[in-house]
Amino acid sequence: MPAVHRLDRLVSGLLILARSASKADFFRQQIEGGMIKKQYIARVAGEFPEQEQVVDANINHNAREQRSTAEVGACGDATPIKGKTACTKFTRLSTNGVHSLVLCEPVTGRTHQIRVHLQHAGYPIANDLLYLSKHVNDRSASIPASDFCENLSTEHVDSNEYFSIDPMCTNCPDLVPKGYNVHEEALWLHCVRYSAPGWTYECPYPDWASLS
């Protein structure tokens, strides 16, 4: 069964699989047509603002370093902005003063977009070692959402569970990509909902989503 979309490494949550090529094409056409809305939840460092926020900052991905950066142009600066346009809407769901649970709705789909935009806003994912080390205080690209210009669920799989290898699958011999640590902790970033006209798929929240 072909996957309709993908999840970044260490990101958990909903993954939609099509049971036929025609259904896969149907989903892909909706994705390419901008008809599908995605929602993630993230546990971030700090007390996220109560008011909905939108981060509109280009994403510049460095393939060699396997990390991305957010970039915005300063007023009067003629220097071209690198990267691709990217926009993410954020809504605080809860907070305990130390961490906050945030609903993330990406308008575009760039590499590490949610992670980088949260870091850029000053509230990186609380266990994201790649982006937590550089805390960004510049929130110039974060604006109120009022000014914004726009059930197939995965089940928890025990890491010790045996996985059979399909001899016809070219990916199975490399289930863990070379250079990745199999003991890395999953990010506190979880895909919870995909929706489009006529259908909605959701999956449960993970344990870390409780801030009590």
Side-chain angles (χ1 to χ4, degrees):
M1 292 187 292
V4 174
H5 64 102
R6 68 178 180 85
L7 291 174
D8 286 346
R9 183 175 69 89
L10 302 182
V11 176
S12 60
L14 180 69
L15 184 64
I16 301 176
L17 303 176
R19 300 183 66 176
S20 67
S22 60
K23 200 64 175 179
D25 287 340
F26 168 77
F27 281 121
R28 290 191 183 110
Q29 288 173 12
Q30 287 195 320
I31 291 175
E32 292 172 0
M35 301 172 63
I36 293 182
K37 294 183 179 181
K38 300 173 287 184
Q39 292 184 334
Y40 293 72
I41 56 169
R43 181 167 176 165
V44 306
E47 188 171 345
F48 200 85
E50 287 188 69
Q51 189 177 25
E52 292 181 338
Q53 304 289 311
V54 170
V55 175
D56 191 354
N58 282 26
I59 298 293
N60 187 21
H61 182 63
N62 187 319
R64 175 172 295 181
E65 296 183 2
Q66 288 298 300
R67 64 179 294 145
S68 299
T69 54
E71 299 179 352
V72 292
C75 182
D77 187 356
T79 304
I81 301 175
K82 298 179 181 179
K84 298 179 179 180
T85 57
C87 187
T88 314
K89 176 182 175 181
F90 298 107
T91 305
R92 191 179 86 182
L93 300 177
S94 61
T95 185
N96 60 10
V98 178
H99 290 163
S100 298
L101 189 66
V102 177
L103 179 68
C104 315
E105 299 175 272
V107 179
T108 53
R110 309 304 184 193
T111 302
H112 293 186
Q113 176 176 317
I114 294 175
R115 299 165 67 182
V116 174
H117 276 178
L118 282 169
Q119 180 209 43
H120 185 74
Y123 304 93
I125 295 174
N127 72 338
D128 190 349
L129 298 181
L130 184 61
Y131 294 105
L132 189 60
S133 59
K134 184 181 179 183
H135 190 79
V136 178
N137 293 317
D138 179 11
R139 301 176 187 172
S140 59
S142 181
I143 59 178
S146 58
D147 297 333
F148 181 42
C149 36
E150 189 211 270
N151 234 352
L152 293 181
S153 65
T154 55
E155 296 181 355
H156 174 73
V157 178
D158 192 318
S159 59
N160 295 320
E161 183 178 346
Y162 172 74
F163 287 90
S164 60
I165 293 180
D166 182 351
M168 299 300 292
C169 177
T170 58
N171 293 321
C172 285
D174 294 309
L175 289 175
V176 179
K178 293 179 177 62
Y180 292 166
N181 185 342
V182 297
H183 301 295
E184 284 181 291
E185 180 184 8
L187 286 172
W188 286 344
L189 179 61
H190 186 81
C191 179
V192 293
R193 191 172 190 264
Y194 262 69
S195 63
W199 60 266
T200 298
Y201 295 137
E202 298 180 344
C203 70
Y205 281 16
D207 291 342
W208 52 255
S210 174
L211 299 182
S212 57

